[in-house]
Amino acid sequence: MTIEKRLDGKTLNILLTGRLDTTTAPQLEADLKQVLDGVEKLVMDFEKLEYLSSAGLRVLLSAQKTMNKQGSMVICHVNETILEIFEVTGFAEILTIE
């Protein structure tokens, strides 16, 4: 998985490419811990994300909890497969998906 980050003022855009799974989730979690301080809006772009596992869901939930305290988080460009995962797990009710 590759993680592209772009900070625009207090908005952080993250583009994920590949698979967010047990192997790559720790990398995203570590990156988020380093860059979320002072961020008021987190935009996670899933346009190039192919797969999402439960480990990835855990990282997203953690990011959502952090952003609830300091701003907002949006997930955009979600494909049908990942949207189905969000719906089946109940994450569609927790996350803001555009």
Side-chain angles (χ1 to χ4, degrees):
M1 179 180 72
T2 59
I3 303 169
E4 294 176 42
K5 298 180 284 285
R6 189 178 76 245
L7 187 61
D8 183 17
K10 295 193 179 279
T11 299
L12 177 63
N13 293 284
I14 295 182
L15 173 65
L16 300 178
T17 303
R19 299 170 57 91
L20 180 52
D21 56 22
T22 306
T23 305
T24 59
Q27 176 190 358
L28 178 60
E29 186 173 35
D31 280 7
L32 288 173
K33 284 182 181 175
Q34 290 179 343
V35 296
L36 284 184
D37 203 28
V39 170
E40 293 179 4
K41 182 172 185 182
L42 174 61
V43 179
M44 306 278 288
D45 189 336
F46 280 15
E47 183 174 8
K48 297 180 180 179
L49 191 68
E50 301 163 2
Y51 176 79
L52 177 66
S53 75
S54 59
L57 288 172
R58 184 183 52 76
V59 173
L60 294 178
L61 182 60
S62 176
Q64 181 68 62
K65 286 181 180 179
T66 299
M67 292 311 300
N68 283 345
K69 296 175 188 167
Q70 63 192 54
S72 63
M73 180 172 110
V74 175
I75 299 175
C76 61
H77 303 123
V78 178
N79 68 36
E80 287 182 25
T81 304
I82 292 175
L83 184 58
E84 186 176 336
I85 292 168
F86 286 152
E87 290 171 351
V88 168
T89 59
F91 274 66
E93 306 298 319
I94 300 168
L95 303 172
T96 303
I97 303 168
E98 296 180 347

